[in-house]
């Protein structure tokens, strides 16, 4: 399946900045060219299957039905 076939409007190109690997899930920080950092929590198995590592170029696909905000 290509990225074009995925129905996700919010897509961010970036580079993996850091991976915090856990036994089941991992946090993957992706930095966009503008400096925005998007964090994804995915299975550790997926991290390995995708060959993710710091410096690897990726596309972050964001699809969500809810975004929560709080005031400062």
């Amino acid at each position: 399946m290509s990225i074009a076939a995925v129905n996700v409007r919010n897509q961010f190109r970036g580079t993996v900045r850091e991976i915090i690997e856990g036994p089941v899930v991992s946090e993957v920080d992706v930095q966009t060219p503008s400096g925005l950092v998007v964090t994804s929590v995915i299975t550790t198995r997926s991290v390995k299957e995708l060959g993710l590592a710091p410096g690897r170029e990726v596309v972050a696909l964001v699809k969500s039905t809810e975004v929560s905000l709080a005031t400062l």
Side-chain angles (χ1 to χ4, degrees):
M1 176 186 321
S2 70
I3 292 174
V6 177
N7 184 21
V8 178
R9 294 183 186 269
N10 299 312
Q11 301 181 12
F12 303 94
R13 288 187 171 270
T15 304
V16 175
R17 185 174 85 171
E18 180 181 12
I19 299 173
I20 301 172
E21 192 171 307
V24 178
V25 295
S26 296
E27 293 180 36
V28 181
D29 288 345
V30 177
Q31 186 167 11
T32 67
S34 66
L36 173 72
V37 176
V38 178
T39 301
S40 177
V41 177
I42 63 174
T43 64
T44 300
R45 179 179 181 176
S46 292
V47 169
K48 293 176 181 176
E49 288 178 356
L50 291 168
L52 298 179
R56 174 97 190 248
E57 290 188 32
V58 296
V59 176
L61 307 168
V62 181
K63 186 171 186 176
S64 176
T65 58
E66 178 181 337
V67 175
S68 300
L69 299 175
T71 58
L72 299 174

